[in-house]
Amino acid sequence: MVLMFPGQPSRLAALCLSAWCASSLSLAQSLPEITVTGARSAQARAETLADITVIDRDTLSRAGQDALPQLLAREHGVEIAGNGGIHNSTGVFIRGANSNQTLVLIDGQRIGSATSGGASLDAIPLGSIERVEILRGPASSLYGADAIGGVINVVTRQGEAGPARLTATIGAGSDETVRTQLGVSGGQEGWQYAFSGNYGRSRGFSVIANRGSSQFNPDRDGYAERGASARVGYQWQPGQSLQASYLSSRVNSEYDGSKTGYDRTRQRVSALNLASLNQLTPWWHSRVRVGETLDDSTTYSLYPSQIRTQQRQYSWQNDLTLAAQQQLSVALERLEETVSSSGFSGQAPTERNTDSLTAVYRGQFAAHHLQANLRHDHSSAYGDKTTGGLTYGYDLNPHWRASLSASTGFRAPTFNELYYPGYGQTQIRPETSRNLEASLRYQEGGSQAGLTVYRNRVHDLIVSQNPCSTPGYRYSCANNVSRAVLEGVSLGLGQQWADTRVRADLDWQNPHDANTGKRLARRASRLAKFSVSQQWAGWDLGAEWQLSNRRYDNVTNTNPLGGYGLVNLTASHALNRDWQLQARWNNIGNKQYEQAKDYATAGSSVFVSLVYQP
C-alpha cells in the first residue's frame, strides 16, 4: 500500500506539477515520489488524496517467472482469476469490481478490447515498464468510461541524461522457463532515449486440472513472448520538448480447448504516443498528445476466432497555476475506436467516437486539501455521460490525515453487448456507479498505516440474461438487469528499520449482487498479504504470504473454490558493482488450488536471474 501524508512538496516536485510525468523521459527516475494517475498531472505523494499504489522498477526487476497480473495481485484490494498459466485469460478485480470495470492505460493512453472488455495485461512485458500506478475507486471523472473499480496506468521505461547505459537480464527456471531482456538508455545535448527488448518461453503445465473435463488434454501448455519498447525525447529549449514512445509485444500461448487438439492464442499489444510539452507562461503548461493503441487476439483451435481493437486518441491538456498551492487542469480529448471480430455480421457497426471535456481542480489551504473533478463524455454509440468526484482531506497533525471522497463512474457497453448476433442489444445502457469512501493515514519515520472504508453501488449492471426477457432472442442476451454493491475495508501497516522492512495488507470486502445478495463470482470476502525483507551478509532476503478465503465460480454461489495460502521467497545478491544474482521461489509448499473452476495453477517453481546494471 502506498500511503500519502501531509507535508510540503520539494522544489523539484513543485516544478513537476505542471507536467505529465508519464510523458517525461527523466522525471520518474529523478523524482520517485511523484505520481500522475490521481489527478491527470504530477503530484508529490504527500499531496495525493486518492488510494494509489506504485509498483516501482525494483519490484518489477525481481518478478522472476511472473507476469504483470501476478504482481498486481500482491497489492491490497486486488485479486486475479486465471484460466491456467500466466499468459492464459486472466481477470483482474480491484475492490471486487469486474475486470471490464477497470481501465488500463499505457503512458496515459487507453488500451483494451472494446469487443470483449478488459485488457491483455499479461502481454505487457515487464522489462519495458518503469513503474505501474494503481488507482482504486471510480475515476471516470478523470478518464471516462470503464473506470468503476479503478485505473491501472503502466508507465514505460524512461531515459536520463548521461552516457549510454546498457542493462541486461538472463534467467531460467522451472518448466524450462527462460527470459532475457536487453536495454540501453542515456541522453545528451537535449536528447534522451531508452530502448528495451525482451524474449521468453516456457513449456508450462497443463492448464486444465480436472481430468473429467471435456477440454482436458494432458499435454503441457507453454508460451513464447517477445517485445520491444522505445522512448525518445528532445528538449529544444527550456520548458519546450517533443517526445515519442512505442511499445510492442507478442505472445503465443497454448491452452486446452479439446482432448486432442493443439489450441493456442496469439496476443499482440502495442502503444504509440507522440507528445509536445510546452511551458507557455510561468503559470500555463500545455500538453498536446496523439496516440494509438492496439489489442489484438487470434485463437487457433477447432473454433477459431479473432478480435481486434484499435484506439486512436487525441488530447490537449492545459495545467494552470491559479495561485500558490492551487492548480486547474482542463483537457479536451477525442477517442476513436475501431474493432473487428470474427463473430460479427457484416451489418454490425465497427466504429464509435467519444469526445470529452475534463476539468480537475486541486487546492491546499494550510491543513485543508481539496480535489474536484468534472468530466463530460459524448459517445456516438451510447450518448452523453457526466461524472464527477470530490475529495476533502484534513491534516489532523503532521503525521495523521483524514479524508472523505464521493465520486461517480460508468462503464460503456462493449461491442459484443451491443451488436453480437443473437446476443447484443443496441438499447443497452452504460453501467453507472456511485462511490463513498473515507480514509485515515499515518506516517512517522519508518512507520506507516492506512485505513480505507468504501461503498460503491453499481446500477444497470450488464449481465447475460438467460432466458432473455426481450422478444426475439432464442437463448441468452446482454441486458441491464442487475445491481451490485462493492463494499469493504482495507487496512495497511508498514514498518521499516535499518535493514528490515515489514508490510501487511488486510482486506474485508463484500462484492455482491444487490438483487440476490450472492457474492460476485471468483471474489473472496477476506484477503491478507504479508511481506518481509531483510538485508543480511550482502544478501537481500524476502518472503511473501498471500491468503484468500473461499470464493464461488458462479453467480448463484453453488460452485465453491477453496481458500488458499501461498508462500513465496526471494533473494538477491550483488556480485560486484555491476552484476547481481536474483532468485524467486513461488508457492514453496506446492499448494494445489483453483482461481477458476477446473483450471490449474502453477505449483512450486523456481527462477534464477543474472542481472547486469551498471
Side-chain angles (χ1 to χ4, degrees), residues 350-362:
T350 59
E351 297 179 356
R352 68 181 178 196
N353 304 320
T354 304
D355 297 310
S356 309
L357 173 63
T358 307
V360 182
Y361 169 81
R362 291 186 290 119

Side-chain angles (χ1 to χ4, degrees), residues 120 250-255 263-268 295-301 303-309 340-342:
S120 301
R250 293 176 183 266
V251 176
N252 284 284
S253 58
E254 301 168 357
Y255 70 99
D263 305 297
R264 60 190 179 93
T265 297
R266 186 206 67 196
Q267 301 176 55
R268 181 188 171 198
D295 192 309
D296 188 353
S297 177
T298 303
T299 298
Y300 303 90
S301 68
Y303 305 99
S305 66
Q306 182 268 337
I307 54 175
R308 184 177 191 269
T309 299
S340 63
S341 172
S342 56

Side-chain angles (χ1 to χ4, degrees), residues 54-85:
V54 177
I55 302 176
D56 59 22
R57 181 62 223 159
D58 183 64
T59 301
L60 292 162
S61 69
R62 299 168 189 264
Q65 61 272 57
D66 293 329
L68 181 54
Q70 284 70 43
L71 271 69
L72 294 170
R74 295 180 188 131
E75 303 300 328
H76 79 274
V78 183
E79 296 177 86
I80 65 172
N83 292 351

Side-chain angles (χ1 to χ4, degrees), residues 20 43 46 67 71 79 124 137 167 183 216 240 309 345 356 372 389 397 415 424 431 438 443 467 486 554 594 606:
W20 175 251
Q43 293 177 278
L71 271 69
E79 296 177 86
I124 303 175
T167 60
F216 176 75
Q240 316 295 327
T309 299
S345 64
S356 309
N397 59 43
F415 278 72
E431 299 175 350
Q443 176 169 324
L486 314 174
N554 57 352
E594 291 179 314
V606 176

Side-chain angles (χ1 to χ4, degrees), residues 23 241-245 273-278 287-290:
S23 299
S241 63
L242 298 172
Q243 299 177 0
S245 66
N273 189 344
L274 307 174
S276 176
L277 307 178
N278 305 100
R287 182 180 75 251
V288 177
R289 184 172 60 190
V290 179

Side-chain angles (χ1 to χ4, degrees), residues 7-54:
Q8 299 298 321
S10 67
R11 182 180 179 185
L12 289 176
L15 291 173
C16 187
L17 290 172
S18 63
W20 175 251
C21 288
S23 299
S24 169
L25 289 176
S26 61
L27 287 178
Q29 289 185 340
S30 61
L31 296 172
E33 295 301 313
I34 294 295
T35 63
V36 297
T37 311
R40 291 184 60 103
S41 59
Q43 293 177 278
R45 285 194 190 179
E47 297 179 343
T48 307
L49 298 175
D51 184 0
I52 294 180
T53 292
V54 177

